[in-house]
Amino acid sequence: LVTSTTAGTSPVTVYLIERTRSGAQLVPSRRTVDDASRPGQRIEALFAPTTEDEQDAGLTSSIPAGTTLLSAPELDPETGQLTIDVSEDLFGIEGTELVLAFAQIVYTATELDSVRSVRFLVEGEPERALDARGVEQEGAVDRGDYAAVAPDG
């Protein structure tokens, strides 16, 4: 677990990518935010470039530089579904890299107990997330959709 301290007071777990000869998998990394209870701050922490310590540990991110949250994520308290609206920069990648980017976002968002699944909007329009098999999913996705790249343990 790599810990990176920047401005902020609350540690949160974000998920980065470790690439091996057998493929890629999610790895938890610690970053800090002002308010760990706010899903948007967790996502923004994930969207930040990897730190020197993270890079030294061999971690990368599949989320393209420039990807931003366009509005505060909205959580449905009844279903635990978090809706996030991201910039179309996310689609500067495709295939496996896009699958990994979706997995990073879903795992990071669902670190909050109140978040069970994530629904994606791109520039305000509903977008189907790709699961670990690269299949477009209707509606929200959760950790189960990315079991193939799940962190060890």
Side-chain angles (χ1 to χ4, degrees), residues 52-84:
E52 227 174 274
D53 288 344
E54 290 165 344
Q55 291 168 21
D56 290 347
L59 303 180
T60 62
S61 178
S62 289
I63 296 164
T67 303
T68 56
L69 270 180
L70 299 180
S71 60
E74 292 180 30
L75 179 63
D76 179 331
E78 297 294 309
T79 64
Q81 179 176 294
L82 185 71
T83 300
I84 66 169

PDB file of all heavy atoms in Angstrom, residues 52-84:
ATOM      1  N   GLU A  52       5.122  10.297  -7.453  1.00  0.00           N
ATOM      2  CA  GLU A  52       6.433   9.675  -7.632  1.00  0.00           C
ATOM      3  C   GLU A  52       6.522   8.361  -6.852  1.00  0.00           C
ATOM      4  O   GLU A  52       7.037   7.365  -7.359  1.00  0.00           O
ATOM      5  CB  GLU A  52       7.519  10.644  -7.161  1.00  0.00           C
ATOM      6  CG  GLU A  52       8.647  10.775  -8.144  1.00  0.00           C
ATOM      7  CD  GLU A  52       9.625  11.858  -7.718  1.00  0.00           C
ATOM      8  OE1 GLU A  52       9.388  13.034  -8.053  1.00  0.00           O
ATOM      9  OE2 GLU A  52      10.611  11.487  -7.046  1.00  0.00           O
ATOM     10  N   ASP A  53       6.006   8.366  -5.607  1.00  0.00           N
ATOM     11  CA  ASP A  53       6.030   7.143  -4.791  1.00  0.00           C
ATOM     12  C   ASP A  53       5.236   6.024  -5.463  1.00  0.00           C
ATOM     13  O   ASP A  53       5.665   4.869  -5.465  1.00  0.00           O
ATOM     14  CB  ASP A  53       5.453   7.402  -3.395  1.00  0.00           C
ATOM     15  CG  ASP A  53       6.372   8.240  -2.518  1.00  0.00           C
ATOM     16  OD1 ASP A  53       7.569   8.370  -2.857  1.00  0.00           O
ATOM     17  OD2 ASP A  53       5.882   8.758  -1.494  1.00  0.00           O
ATOM     18  N   GLU A  54       4.072   6.364  -6.013  1.00  0.00           N
ATOM     19  CA  GLU A  54       3.249   5.353  -6.688  1.00  0.00           C
ATOM     20  C   GLU A  54       3.975   4.827  -7.928  1.00  0.00           C
ATOM     21  O   GLU A  54       3.997   3.621  -8.177  1.00  0.00           O
ATOM     22  CB  GLU A  54       1.889   5.950  -7.063  1.00  0.00           C
ATOM     23  CG  GLU A  54       1.016   6.205  -5.831  1.00  0.00           C
ATOM     24  CD  GLU A  54      -0.173   7.119  -6.093  1.00  0.00           C
ATOM     25  OE1 GLU A  54      -0.208   7.825  -7.127  1.00  0.00           O
ATOM     26  OE2 GLU A  54      -1.071   7.149  -5.230  1.00  0.00           O
ATOM     27  N   GLN A  55       4.578   5.733  -8.685  1.00  0.00           N
ATOM     28  CA  GLN A  55       5.316   5.311  -9.876  1.00  0.00           C
ATOM     29  C   GLN A  55       6.497   4.425  -9.490  1.00  0.00           C
ATOM     30  O   GLN A  55       6.756   3.407 -10.140  1.00  0.00           O
ATOM     31  CB  GLN A  55       5.792   6.531 -10.665  1.00  0.00           C
ATOM     32  CG  GLN A  55       4.654   7.300 -11.316  1.00  0.00           C
ATOM     33  CD  GLN A  55       5.089   8.657 -11.843  1.00  0.00           C
ATOM     34  OE1 GLN A  55       6.262   8.899 -12.075  1.00  0.00           O
ATOM     35  NE2 GLN A  55       4.119   9.547 -12.023  1.00  0.00           N
ATOM     36  N   ASP A  56       7.195   4.798  -8.399  1.00  0.00           N
ATOM     37  CA  ASP A  56       8.328   3.995  -7.926  1.00  0.00           C
ATOM     38  C   ASP A  56       7.884   2.591  -7.533  1.00  0.00           C
ATOM     39  O   ASP A  56       8.653   1.634  -7.635  1.00  0.00           O
ATOM     40  CB  ASP A  56       9.025   4.667  -6.740  1.00  0.00           C
ATOM     41  CG  ASP A  56       9.787   5.934  -7.152  1.00  0.00           C
ATOM     42  OD1 ASP A  56       9.976   6.163  -8.376  1.00  0.00           O
ATOM     43  OD2 ASP A  56      10.173   6.702  -6.246  1.00  0.00           O
ATOM     44  N   ALA A  57       6.633   2.477  -7.073  1.00  0.00           N
ATOM     45  CA  ALA A  57       6.086   1.170  -6.682  1.00  0.00           C
ATOM     46  C   ALA A  57       5.546   0.402  -7.892  1.00  0.00           C
ATOM     47  O   ALA A  57       4.992  -0.688  -7.738  1.00  0.00           O
ATOM     48  CB  ALA A  57       4.984   1.361  -5.650  1.00  0.00           C
ATOM     49  N   GLY A  58       5.690   0.980  -9.087  1.00  0.00           N
ATOM     50  CA  GLY A  58       5.251   0.306 -10.304  1.00  0.00           C
ATOM     51  C   GLY A  58       3.776   0.463 -10.606  1.00  0.00           C
ATOM     52  O   GLY A  58       3.218  -0.285 -11.401  1.00  0.00           O
ATOM     53  N   LEU A  59       3.138   1.446  -9.982  1.00  0.00           N
ATOM     54  CA  LEU A  59       1.700   1.642 -10.184  1.00  0.00           C
ATOM     55  C   LEU A  59       1.440   2.690 -11.259  1.00  0.00           C
ATOM     56  O   LEU A  59       2.178   3.666 -11.375  1.00  0.00           O
ATOM     57  CB  LEU A  59       1.032   2.066  -8.871  1.00  0.00           C
ATOM     58  CG  LEU A  59       1.222   1.099  -7.699  1.00  0.00           C
ATOM     59  CD1 LEU A  59       0.523   1.626  -6.455  1.00  0.00           C
ATOM     60  CD2 LEU A  59       0.738  -0.294  -8.048  1.00  0.00           C
ATOM     61  N   THR A  60       0.381   2.463 -12.024  1.00  0.00           N
ATOM     62  CA  THR A  60      -0.038   3.406 -13.057  1.00  0.00           C
ATOM     63  C   THR A  60      -1.540   3.597 -12.934  1.00  0.00           C
ATOM     64  O   THR A  60      -2.198   2.959 -12.112  1.00  0.00           O
ATOM     65  CB  THR A  60       0.269   2.873 -14.481  1.00  0.00           C
ATOM     66  OG1 THR A  60      -0.476   1.671 -14.691  1.00  0.00           O
ATOM     67  CG2 THR A  60       1.749   2.599 -14.672  1.00  0.00           C
ATOM     68  N   SER A  61      -2.083   4.455 -13.779  1.00  0.00           N
ATOM     69  CA  SER A  61      -3.523   4.646 -13.845  1.00  0.00           C
ATOM     70  C   SER A  61      -3.937   4.556 -15.306  1.00  0.00           C
ATOM     71  O   SER A  61      -3.221   5.019 -16.185  1.00  0.00           O
ATOM     72  CB  SER A  61      -3.911   6.016 -13.283  1.00  0.00           C
ATOM     73  OG  SER A  61      -5.306   6.208 -13.403  1.00  0.00           O
ATOM     74  N   SER A  62      -5.080   3.939 -15.547  1.00  0.00           N
ATOM     75  CA  SER A  62      -5.597   3.871 -16.913  1.00  0.00           C
ATOM     76  C   SER A  62      -6.492   5.057 -17.238  1.00  0.00           C
ATOM     77  O   SER A  62      -6.950   5.199 -18.359  1.00  0.00           O
ATOM     78  CB  SER A  62      -6.379   2.567 -17.122  1.00  0.00           C
ATOM     79  OG  SER A  62      -5.480   1.484 -17.151  1.00  0.00           O
ATOM     80  N   ILE A  63      -6.748   5.902 -16.258  1.00  0.00           N
ATOM     81  CA  ILE A  63      -7.623   7.051 -16.480  1.00  0.00           C
ATOM     82  C   ILE A  63      -6.827   8.125 -17.214  1.00  0.00           C
ATOM     83  O   ILE A  63      -5.787   8.561 -16.719  1.00  0.00           O
ATOM     84  CB  ILE A  63      -8.187   7.567 -15.155  1.00  0.00           C
ATOM     85  CG1 ILE A  63      -9.071   6.462 -14.538  1.00  0.00           C
ATOM     86  CG2 ILE A  63      -8.973   8.857 -15.350  1.00  0.00           C
ATOM     87  CD1 ILE A  63      -9.386   6.646 -13.096  1.00  0.00           C
ATOM     88  N   PRO A  64      -7.278   8.529 -18.395  1.00  0.00           N
ATOM     89  CA  PRO A  64      -6.514   9.502 -19.181  1.00  0.00           C
ATOM     90  C   PRO A  64      -6.372  10.850 -18.465  1.00  0.00           C
ATOM     91  O   PRO A  64      -7.299  11.302 -17.792  1.00  0.00           O
ATOM     92  CB  PRO A  64      -7.348   9.685 -20.451  1.00  0.00           C
ATOM     93  CG  PRO A  64      -8.241   8.494 -20.516  1.00  0.00           C
ATOM     94  CD  PRO A  64      -8.492   8.091 -19.091  1.00  0.00           C
ATOM     95  N   ALA A  65      -5.199  11.445 -18.619  1.00  0.00           N
ATOM     96  CA  ALA A  65      -4.971  12.794 -18.083  1.00  0.00           C
ATOM     97  C   ALA A  65      -6.038  13.711 -18.647  1.00  0.00           C
ATOM     98  O   ALA A  65      -6.441  13.584 -19.799  1.00  0.00           O
ATOM     99  CB  ALA A  65      -3.584  13.273 -18.475  1.00  0.00           C
ATOM    100  N   GLY A  66      -6.505  14.630 -17.835  1.00  0.00           N
ATOM    101  CA  GLY A  66      -7.527  15.576 -18.297  1.00  0.00           C
ATOM    102  C   GLY A  66      -8.940  15.126 -18.000  1.00  0.00           C
ATOM    103  O   GLY A  66      -9.884  15.912 -18.122  1.00  0.00           O
ATOM    104  N   THR A  67      -9.124  13.862 -17.608  1.00  0.00           N
ATOM    105  CA  THR A  67     -10.469  13.390 -17.243  1.00  0.00           C
ATOM    106  C   THR A  67     -10.899  14.115 -15.976  1.00  0.00           C
ATOM    107  O   THR A  67     -10.149  14.174 -15.006  1.00  0.00           O
ATOM    108  CB  THR A  67     -10.477  11.868 -17.004  1.00  0.00           C
ATOM    109  OG1 THR A  67     -10.010  11.203 -18.175  1.00  0.00           O
ATOM    110  CG2 THR A  67     -11.878  11.372 -16.658  1.00  0.00           C
ATOM    111  N   THR A  68     -12.092  14.689 -15.995  1.00  0.00           N
ATOM    112  CA  THR A  68     -12.580  15.440 -14.839  1.00  0.00           C
ATOM    113  C   THR A  68     -14.014  15.055 -14.501  1.00  0.00           C
ATOM    114  O   THR A  68     -14.751  14.561 -15.364  1.00  0.00           O
ATOM    115  CB  THR A  68     -12.556  16.964 -15.108  1.00  0.00           C
ATOM    116  OG1 THR A  68     -13.312  17.230 -16.297  1.00  0.00           O
ATOM    117  CG2 THR A  68     -11.136  17.480 -15.285  1.00  0.00           C
ATOM    118  N   LEU A  69     -14.377  15.307 -13.255  1.00  0.00           N
ATOM    119  CA  LEU A  69     -15.770  15.194 -12.827  1.00  0.00           C
ATOM    120  C   LEU A  69     -16.452  16.488 -13.251  1.00  0.00           C
ATOM    121  O   LEU A  69     -15.940  17.566 -12.981  1.00  0.00           O
ATOM    122  CB  LEU A  69     -15.850  15.092 -11.311  1.00  0.00           C
ATOM    123  CG  LEU A  69     -15.805  13.720 -10.671  1.00  0.00           C
ATOM    124  CD1 LEU A  69     -15.904  13.858  -9.158  1.00  0.00           C
ATOM    125  CD2 LEU A  69     -16.903  12.821 -11.185  1.00  0.00           C
ATOM    126  N   LEU A  70     -17.603  16.390 -13.906  1.00  0.00           N
ATOM    127  CA  LEU A  70     -18.286  17.590 -14.390  1.00  0.00           C
ATOM    128  C   LEU A  70     -19.268  18.154 -13.367  1.00  0.00           C
ATOM    129  O   LEU A  70     -19.676  19.301 -13.476  1.00  0.00           O
ATOM    130  CB  LEU A  70     -18.996  17.288 -15.709  1.00  0.00           C
ATOM    131  CG  LEU A  70     -18.041  16.854 -16.829  1.00  0.00           C
ATOM    132  CD1 LEU A  70     -18.818  16.570 -18.099  1.00  0.00           C
ATOM    133  CD2 LEU A  70     -16.978  17.907 -17.070  1.00  0.00           C
ATOM    134  N   SER A  71     -19.660  17.344 -12.393  1.00  0.00           N
ATOM    135  CA  SER A  71     -20.542  17.819 -11.325  1.00  0.00           C
ATOM    136  C   SER A  71     -20.362  16.892 -10.129  1.00  0.00           C
ATOM    137  O   SER A  71     -19.761  15.830 -10.261  1.00  0.00           O
ATOM    138  CB  SER A  71     -22.002  17.820 -11.786  1.00  0.00           C
ATOM    139  OG  SER A  71     -22.403  16.507 -12.157  1.00  0.00           O
ATOM    140  N   ALA A  72     -20.883  17.300  -9.000  1.00  0.00           N
ATOM    141  CA  ALA A  72     -20.785  16.462  -7.807  1.00  0.00           C
ATOM    142  C   ALA A  72     -21.560  15.164  -8.047  1.00  0.00           C
ATOM    143  O   ALA A  72     -22.689  15.206  -8.532  1.00  0.00           O
ATOM    144  CB  ALA A  72     -21.350  17.192  -6.604  1.00  0.00           C
ATOM    145  N   PRO A  73     -20.967  14.027  -7.725  1.00  0.00           N
ATOM    146  CA  PRO A  73     -21.686  12.757  -7.883  1.00  0.00           C
ATOM    147  C   PRO A  73     -22.948  12.748  -7.029  1.00  0.00           C
ATOM    148  O   PRO A  73     -22.976  13.341  -5.953  1.00  0.00           O
ATOM    149  CB  PRO A  73     -20.685  11.711  -7.370  1.00  0.00           C
ATOM    150  CG  PRO A  73     -19.347  12.356  -7.498  1.00  0.00           C
ATOM    151  CD  PRO A  73     -19.592  13.820  -7.253  1.00  0.00           C
ATOM    152  N   GLU A  74     -23.976  12.081  -7.537  1.00  0.00           N
ATOM    153  CA  GLU A  74     -25.242  12.005  -6.812  1.00  0.00           C
ATOM    154  C   GLU A  74     -25.473  10.587  -6.347  1.00  0.00           C
ATOM    155  O   GLU A  74     -25.433   9.655  -7.146  1.00  0.00           O
ATOM    156  CB  GLU A  74     -26.398  12.451  -7.718  1.00  0.00           C
ATOM    157  CG  GLU A  74     -26.341  13.926  -8.053  1.00  0.00           C
ATOM    158  CD  GLU A  74     -27.492  14.352  -8.960  1.00  0.00           C
ATOM    159  OE1 GLU A  74     -28.578  13.739  -8.882  1.00  0.00           O
ATOM    160  OE2 GLU A  74     -27.288  15.291  -9.734  1.00  0.00           O
ATOM    161  N   LEU A  75     -25.713  10.438  -5.036  1.00  0.00           N
ATOM    162  CA  LEU A  75     -25.940   9.125  -4.452  1.00  0.00           C
ATOM    163  C   LEU A  75     -27.416   8.933  -4.165  1.00  0.00           C
ATOM    164  O   LEU A  75     -28.037   9.780  -3.519  1.00  0.00           O
ATOM    165  CB  LEU A  75     -25.136   8.990  -3.152  1.00  0.00           C
ATOM    166  CG  LEU A  75     -25.303   7.672  -2.406  1.00  0.00           C
ATOM    167  CD1 LEU A  75     -24.800   6.491  -3.243  1.00  0.00           C
ATOM    168  CD2 LEU A  75     -24.584   7.727  -1.073  1.00  0.00           C
ATOM    169  N   ASP A  76     -27.970   7.824  -4.640  1.00  0.00           N
ATOM    170  CA  ASP A  76     -29.335   7.447  -4.292  1.00  0.00           C
ATOM    171  C   ASP A  76     -29.242   6.636  -2.993  1.00  0.00           C
ATOM    172  O   ASP A  76     -28.742   5.510  -3.011  1.00  0.00           O
ATOM    173  CB  ASP A  76     -29.946   6.598  -5.408  1.00  0.00           C
ATOM    174  CG  ASP A  76     -31.373   6.163  -5.088  1.00  0.00           C
ATOM    175  OD1 ASP A  76     -31.705   6.003  -3.884  1.00  0.00           O
ATOM    176  OD2 ASP A  76     -32.146   5.962  -6.035  1.00  0.00           O
ATOM    177  N   PRO A  77     -29.695   7.212  -1.855  1.00  0.00           N
ATOM    178  CA  PRO A  77     -29.533   6.519  -0.575  1.00  0.00           C
ATOM    179  C   PRO A  77     -30.323   5.212  -0.492  1.00  0.00           C
ATOM    180  O   PRO A  77     -29.960   4.325   0.263  1.00  0.00           O
ATOM    181  CB  PRO A  77     -30.024   7.530   0.458  1.00  0.00           C
ATOM    182  CG  PRO A  77     -30.770   8.564  -0.291  1.00  0.00           C
ATOM    183  CD  PRO A  77     -30.366   8.502  -1.723  1.00  0.00           C
ATOM    184  N   GLU A  78     -31.376   5.078  -1.297  1.00  0.00           N
ATOM    185  CA  GLU A  78     -32.185   3.849  -1.275  1.00  0.00           C
ATOM    186  C   GLU A  78     -31.443   2.683  -1.915  1.00  0.00           C
ATOM    187  O   GLU A  78     -31.439   1.579  -1.396  1.00  0.00           O
ATOM    188  CB  GLU A  78     -33.508   4.062  -2.034  1.00  0.00           C
ATOM    189  CG  GLU A  78     -34.417   5.114  -1.437  1.00  0.00           C
ATOM    190  CD  GLU A  78     -34.939   4.690  -0.071  1.00  0.00           C
ATOM    191  OE1 GLU A  78     -35.464   3.563   0.048  1.00  0.00           O
ATOM    192  OE2 GLU A  78     -34.807   5.491   0.878  1.00  0.00           O
ATOM    193  N   THR A  79     -30.827   2.918  -3.061  1.00  0.00           N
ATOM    194  CA  THR A  79     -30.207   1.833  -3.824  1.00  0.00           C
ATOM    195  C   THR A  79     -28.690   1.769  -3.657  1.00  0.00           C
ATOM    196  O   THR A  79     -28.070   0.779  -4.032  1.00  0.00           O
ATOM    197  CB  THR A  79     -30.484   2.009  -5.331  1.00  0.00           C
ATOM    198  OG1 THR A  79     -29.861   3.220  -5.776  1.00  0.00           O
ATOM    199  CG2 THR A  79     -31.978   2.055  -5.618  1.00  0.00           C
ATOM    200  N   GLY A  80     -28.092   2.844  -3.133  1.00  0.00           N
ATOM    201  CA  GLY A  80     -26.640   2.886  -3.038  1.00  0.00           C
ATOM    202  C   GLY A  80     -25.971   3.114  -4.381  1.00  0.00           C
ATOM    203  O   GLY A  80     -24.786   2.872  -4.549  1.00  0.00           O
ATOM    204  N   GLN A  81     -26.764   3.592  -5.360  1.00  0.00           N
ATOM    205  CA  GLN A  81     -26.209   3.843  -6.691  1.00  0.00           C
ATOM    206  C   GLN A  81     -25.663   5.262  -6.778  1.00  0.00           C
ATOM    207  O   GLN A  81     -26.377   6.219  -6.513  1.00  0.00           O
ATOM    208  CB  GLN A  81     -27.273   3.636  -7.770  1.00  0.00           C
ATOM    209  CG  GLN A  81     -26.758   3.895  -9.176  1.00  0.00           C
ATOM    210  CD  GLN A  81     -27.818   3.583 -10.222  1.00  0.00           C
ATOM    211  OE1 GLN A  81     -28.207   2.437 -10.388  1.00  0.00           O
ATOM    212  NE2 GLN A  81     -28.279   4.602 -10.912  1.00  0.00           N
ATOM    213  N   LEU A  82     -24.395   5.364  -7.128  1.00  0.00           N
ATOM    214  CA  LEU A  82     -23.736   6.655  -7.289  1.00  0.00           C
ATOM    215  C   LEU A  82     -23.686   6.985  -8.776  1.00  0.00           C
ATOM    216  O   LEU A  82     -23.203   6.183  -9.574  1.00  0.00           O
ATOM    217  CB  LEU A  82     -22.313   6.591  -6.725  1.00  0.00           C
ATOM    218  CG  LEU A  82     -21.543   7.912  -6.724  1.00  0.00           C
ATOM    219  CD1 LEU A  82     -22.111   8.870  -5.682  1.00  0.00           C
ATOM    220  CD2 LEU A  82     -20.064   7.656  -6.470  1.00  0.00           C
ATOM    221  N   THR A  83     -24.208   8.145  -9.142  1.00  0.00           N
ATOM    222  CA  THR A  83     -24.146   8.582 -10.542  1.00  0.00           C
ATOM    223  C   THR A  83     -23.036   9.613 -10.668  1.00  0.00           C
ATOM    224  O   THR A  83     -23.040  10.613  -9.946  1.00  0.00           O
ATOM    225  CB  THR A  83     -25.494   9.179 -10.984  1.00  0.00           C
ATOM    226  OG1 THR A  83     -26.507   8.168 -10.851  1.00  0.00           O
ATOM    227  CG2 THR A  83     -25.438   9.642 -12.436  1.00  0.00           C
ATOM    228  N   ILE A  84     -22.078   9.328 -11.565  1.00  0.00           N
ATOM    229  CA  ILE A  84     -21.001  10.282 -11.778  1.00  0.00           C
ATOM    230  C   ILE A  84     -20.972  10.725 -13.236  1.00  0.00           C
ATOM    231  O   ILE A  84     -21.186   9.934 -14.142  1.00  0.00           O
ATOM    232  CB  ILE A  84     -19.620   9.751 -11.338  1.00  0.00           C
ATOM    233  CG1 ILE A  84     -19.168   8.583 -12.191  1.00  0.00           C
ATOM    234  CG2 ILE A  84     -19.622   9.350  -9.877  1.00  0.00           C
ATOM    235  CD1 ILE A  84     -17.713   8.234 -11.951  1.00  0.00           C
TER     236      ILE A  84
END
